[in-house]
Amino acid sequence: MTVDMYKAIVFFDLDGTLLMDDKSLSPANVQAIHELEQNNILPVVSTGRNIFEVRYVLDETGMDSIVSANGSYVQFEGKRLHAEYLEPELIEEFNAFANVQGDPVAWFNHHEFALSQETPVTDKNFKLLGLNARVEPDWYKYHHVNFMFVFNFDKEKLYQERFKGVLSLVRNNPRGLDTMLDGVSKKSGIEELLDYANFGKVPTYAFGDQLNDLEMFDLVDHPICMANGNPAVKEKAEFITTSNMNGGIVNGLRHFDLI
């Protein structure tokens, strides 16, 4: 299908939104994605996670466009469109600061990741995500890194002040902070996709639930928050649907007559 044939675009956050709490896809949500495509509406994943972590979502739904790692890596119709990279010197500086705090750091690209140190918190986090984390403190020196995750429960302001104007840090997970280059977000990734594909005035919708969805909500025409969402995200929503565990995607799509 050519770009000018799409009637709308719908961006889907994953955790707490398109996915069930156990990270699985419900048959109803898979069917909803297929119905969107039948209605000439483009579904796009928009997530804080990296492509290798959510490959099963793309495979099960057939979606091949994704804004991943909070805008750090963008793929359109199966092809890389845009990628951000963190310089090794900046990573070194970040690692040193995190080490003083006693906070583990994970470094990611769209293929794989590694971890600076293992703790009960890192074990719990990656077990919930179904990932096997390997500890390899020098990994970032030999691999491209477009996204980092620093483990802590209450240090947003500390990190944000230390790396102001250099890195963007947002809590998308109670156990730590998503870390991107300053100015990189789901919004910037979506803008890359929209500009590249020249979607023009095609209506845009987005489903989300957490703080890393706020900037995405600022950009799209119709922001939709899950009932299980963060209060700050609900405030920005045009519509609050039911929860991710109670048909929220299907109900939201039906509310806007998209399926």
Side-chain angles (χ1 to χ4, degrees):
M1 183 182 297
T2 60
V3 167
D4 59 4
M5 292 179 64
Y6 287 115
K7 297 191 298 185
I9 309 168
V10 184
F11 296 94
F12 294 98
D13 173 55
L14 294 183
D15 299 296
T17 303
L18 188 67
L19 299 180
M20 306 293 279
D21 287 349
D22 65 359
K23 310 303 180 185
S24 68
L25 280 158
S26 70
N29 283 354
V30 174
Q31 178 60 31
I33 297 299
H34 294 161
E35 289 184 31
L36 286 175
E37 293 172 334
Q38 292 165 8
N39 293 337
N40 296 339
I41 296 170
L42 176 65
V44 181
V45 171
S46 183
T47 179
R49 293 212 267 158
N50 294 265
I51 289 182
F52 74 88
E53 301 178 68
V54 299
R55 174 59 60 188
Y56 70 99
V57 176
L58 304 181
D59 291 343
E60 289 183 36
T61 62
M63 287 190 282
D64 59 3
S65 296
I66 177 172
V67 175
S68 67
N70 288 331
S72 296
Y73 191 93
V74 182
Q75 173 180 297
F76 180 62
E77 295 183 341
K79 298 179 181 179
R80 187 181 82 167
L81 174 59
H82 179 78
E84 302 283 353
Y85 294 109
L86 296 162
E87 293 294 335
E89 295 80 10
L90 176 57
I91 300 173
E92 292 271 7
E93 184 180 354
F94 187 81
N95 291 346
F97 185 78
N99 187 56
V100 170
Q101 312 304 318
D103 297 338
V105 179
W107 313 283
F108 294 80
N109 58 40
H110 69 290
H111 289 300
E112 56 185 335
F113 78 111
L115 187 62
S116 65
Q117 60 175 302
E118 185 178 18
T119 70
V121 174
T122 66
D123 286 346
K124 180 177 181 180
N125 183 76
F126 292 119
K127 183 178 181 180
L128 287 170
L129 296 176
L131 298 174
N132 293 317
R134 71 176 185 270
V135 175
E136 193 172 331
D138 290 336
W139 183 87
Y140 67 91
K141 296 179 180 179
Y142 311 106
H143 298 80
H144 287 303
V145 175
N146 56 29
F147 175 88
M148 298 185 291
F149 186 85
V150 58
F151 287 85
N152 62 71
F153 290 93
D154 56 0
K155 299 177 183 176
E156 288 94 327
K157 290 185 178 180
L158 182 67
Y159 279 87
Q160 289 167 353
E161 290 175 2
R162 173 62 179 78
F163 293 96
K164 185 176 181 180
V166 180
L167 294 171
S168 174
L169 296 106
V170 61
R171 187 170 297 282
N172 182 37
N173 177 326
R175 291 169 293 279
L177 302 171
D178 291 353
T179 306
M180 298 74 64
L181 282 173
D182 184 53
V184 174
S185 67
K186 289 185 179 183
K187 177 181 178 181
S188 68
I190 291 172
E191 286 174 332
E192 291 282 350
L193 189 152
L194 295 178
D195 290 345
Y196 172 83
N198 193 27
F199 278 109
K201 296 184 178 180
V202 175
T204 53
Y205 301 76
F207 286 81
D209 72 312
Q210 286 299 326
L211 297 177
N212 65 332
D213 296 315
L214 287 174
E215 293 193 4
M216 174 172 71
F217 275 20
D218 284 337
L219 177 64
V220 299
D221 300 315
H222 304 285
I224 305 155
C225 186
M226 314 303 288
N228 51 285
N230 185 291
V233 184
K234 289 181 178 179
E235 287 183 8
K236 284 201 173 185
E238 175 182 344
F239 178 69
I240 299 174
T241 187
T242 51
S243 76
N244 65 313
M245 297 296 291
N246 191 31
I249 294 297
V250 171
N251 290 335
L253 293 173
R254 286 177 176 167
H255 174 81
F256 288 98
D257 294 322
L258 296 173
I259 61 173

